[in-house]
Amino acid sequence: MPMDDSNRNQRFVRIFTQHEPAVRAFVRRLVPSRTDADDILQEVAVVLWEKFDEFQPDRDFRAWACGIARYKVLSWLRDRGRAKLVLDSDVVELVAEESLRIDRHLEQQRTALEVCFEKVQPDQRSLLKDAYREGAKIQDIATNSGRSVSGFYQWLYRMRQMLLDCVKRELAQESIS
């Protein structure tokens, strides 16, 4: 049964938005620059939109989108075949295969990290975000937190270790269930 346009649009936007970061990461692993990845991702989005009626809801949208992205990357490589910085299509195929193979594991790790990050006290979570913000100056963050720079690095090390242990536990629990 065909969907009306409004439902189709909403459904596509919702599912594409959910999986766009993973598809972008997949494309980014296959091409040399972020700008190239952005251009290719736009083309992928157009194809996904055009073929969205063919997508079966019981299938994995991410896998479908990455398959289309893979062909778009190969097409992009063919068009730029003479450029020195472009990988051979066989190499891209191998990287794409490996990327798809590890994609699920990376997604599980990201989800576990999000769960663990939410367990951190809000004030500590804020400090962690500050420490990893682009352009962050550790000395300023350490001073604002009331720690010396070396004390802040030690605290940061302990927090990373605590998050790593938590992620390992989350992944272990997931594999049991």
Side-chain angles (χ1 to χ4, degrees):
M1 171 188 295
M3 291 183 273
D4 68 42
D5 285 347
S6 176
N7 285 343
R8 180 182 189 269
N9 295 347
Q10 289 176 4
R11 186 164 174 265
F12 178 79
V13 168
R14 188 177 65 248
I15 197 166
F16 181 72
T17 303
Q18 178 185 356
H19 295 284
E20 189 269 345
V23 178
R24 177 179 298 279
F26 174 78
V27 171
R28 184 65 185 95
R29 288 189 289 262
L30 301 176
V31 296
S33 78
R34 192 175 305 273
T35 303
D36 294 332
D38 290 344
D39 292 344
I40 292 169
L41 189 63
Q42 285 180 347
E43 291 181 31
V44 170
V46 169
V47 172
L48 291 171
W49 172 250
E50 289 172 350
K51 295 183 175 257
F52 191 57
D53 289 334
E54 299 171 19
F55 175 70
Q56 301 295 317
D58 60 333
R59 291 185 59 206
D60 182 347
F61 183 85
R62 182 185 302 185
W64 182 63
C66 286
I68 289 172
R70 177 189 211 161
Y71 288 112
K72 280 295 176 188
V73 167
L74 289 172
S75 173
W76 180 86
L77 286 170
R78 270 193 308 275
D79 294 346
R80 286 156 185 82
R82 295 178 189 222
K84 292 180 180 177
L85 298 176
V86 175
L87 296 173
D88 184 75
S89 62
D90 292 341
V91 174
V92 171
E93 284 282 347
L94 288 172
V95 173
E97 287 289 329
E98 182 65 14
S99 292
L100 288 173
R101 191 183 67 73
I102 66 171
D103 187 57
R104 287 286 173 213
H105 183 64
L106 292 174
E107 183 62 27
Q108 290 171 332
Q109 287 179 328
R110 275 190 290 271
T111 300
L113 180 58
E114 288 172 8
V115 167
C116 294
F117 195 69
E118 289 301 315
K119 293 178 181 177
V120 174
Q121 295 295 317
D123 59 327
Q124 294 178 339
R125 196 178 324 143
S126 177
L127 279 176
L128 281 169
K129 285 180 182 177
D130 287 347
Y132 288 101
R133 186 183 64 238
E134 187 173 331
K137 296 188 178 184
I138 293 297
Q139 180 152 5
D140 294 343
I141 298 168
T143 301
N144 291 338
S145 72
R147 295 177 175 94
S148 66
V149 171
S150 64
F152 187 77
Y153 276 117
Q154 288 173 357
W155 174 82
L156 203 53
Y157 173 79
R158 287 192 303 272
M159 293 302 293
R160 286 193 303 247
Q161 193 62 47
M162 185 270 306
L163 287 169
L164 177 63
D165 292 343
C166 178
V167 165
K168 286 178 180 176
R169 283 191 305 273
E170 290 288 325
L171 292 174
Q173 286 178 345
E174 189 174 301
S175 69
I176 292 171
S177 54

